[in-house]
Amino acid sequence: MPDQPDTHVRTVSDRVARIHWSPELSERGWQAAVDVVRRDVAAALVDHDRVEALVAVDDAQSHRIATWSGLRREGVQRGVDGDRVVYARLVDDVPVHEPHGFRALLNSFLPRKRAISQMLIRDTSPEPRVLLCQLTYKTDWDLPGGVVEVGESPQLAVAREVEEELGLEIAAGQLVLTDWLPPWGGWDDALCLVFDGGTHDPSLVGRIVPQAREIRSAEFCTLAEVDERAADFSARRIRSALANLGGGPAYTESGR
């Protein structure tokens, strides 16, 4: 009986192939396996525009083989029989031995963090007050801001969010606080960057045009009202940001 091949390549749709390798190939060691998979991927790209591999999330050795064979990580395909990480190489991808191609390969699998930008806007009242938003999608109030888009400056992102959500044109000042948010309630961890939005007359709230889809209202709130309306970690973040005004960027974890 002939030996089974170490890899199997089949066409799964128009000009798209999928490669699978045996556990025996993985057992030879990742470097030897990489040579085989890289060769077969290159051969498949002669007649296909895309070659992909689906790797079980807990198969560390196969993840290494896929990566160093030049397959870029694209995401996770969920399934009732287990999740799979999707790797692929396109016929026009820059070769891995070229600097741009190698950087693109690394960029596909190195960790990424979600970034959130918020703005600390105060008014001129004798007692410290900060602008808080009452949100449509959660019960607790929060600073204005939002998620930073891919390739977007966090400083410009928060000014964009304030304009989109509140109709206010306020340039973001210096970075006041970097707050790390641990995984929570179905969210991955994230970095929250708080920028100084300056001090304004209390009449600022009269110019607010809330984006109805996300914002119910916005008010200047005392620290006691912040503690009452905001989540505990948000209240801690606001107090830390206020305490650091003018002191240069600071770092906290969940506001601590």
Side-chain angles (χ1 to χ4, degrees), residues 44-227:
L45 285 172
V46 173
D47 299 315
H48 299 85
D49 295 329
R50 171 186 171 92
V51 178
E52 62 186 26
L54 305 181
V55 178
V57 294
D58 58 352
D59 188 349
Q61 182 78 318
S62 287
H63 287 294
R64 198 175 190 188
I65 292 169
T67 298
W68 295 109
S69 299
L71 298 167
R72 298 186 192 178
R73 180 181 173 125
E74 294 186 340
V76 177
Q77 181 185 86
R78 297 189 301 153
V80 294
D81 59 343
D83 295 347
R84 300 287 187 271
V85 178
V86 181
Y87 290 89
R89 185 158 189 82
L90 305 183
V91 69
D92 57 356
D93 281 345
V94 178
V96 176
H97 64 266
E98 296 184 14
H100 178 77
F102 184 66
R103 289 193 296 268
L105 178 66
L106 293 179
N107 187 64
S108 75
F109 70 85
L110 287 175
R112 301 180 184 185
K113 285 197 184 297
R114 181 178 294 108
I116 301 166
S117 281
Q118 293 187 326
M119 190 176 288
L120 186 69
I121 303 170
R122 290 101 59 217
D123 73 356
T124 54
S125 301
E127 183 178 4
R129 299 202 309 175
V130 299
L131 188 68
L132 286 189
C133 296
Q134 183 184 27
L135 306 171
T136 61
Y137 51 88
K138 61 180 182 179
T139 57
D140 47 284
W141 295 46
D142 210 344
L143 292 173
V147 175
V148 181
E149 301 293 343
V150 175
E152 184 180 30
S153 154
Q155 190 172 35
L156 295 180
V158 71
R160 171 185 57 77
E161 288 281 353
V162 168
E163 183 174 4
E164 290 176 356
E165 295 183 350
L166 302 178
L168 299 175
E169 293 186 17
I170 301 176
Q174 70 174 3
L175 178 65
V176 177
L177 183 72
T178 300
D179 187 31
W180 177 69
L181 307 177
W184 175 82
W187 289 105
D188 291 335
D189 70 326
L191 289 175
C192 184
L193 307 174
V194 183
F195 291 90
D196 186 6
T199 302
H200 303 263
D201 189 271
S203 62
L204 178 75
V205 295
R207 307 205 313 266
I208 289 175
V209 181
Q211 182 190 63
R213 184 169 54 87
E214 295 188 23
I215 309 295
R216 287 197 177 95
S217 63
E219 298 177 18
F220 281 112
C221 299
T222 65
L223 290 181
E225 290 170 330
V226 168
D227 291 339

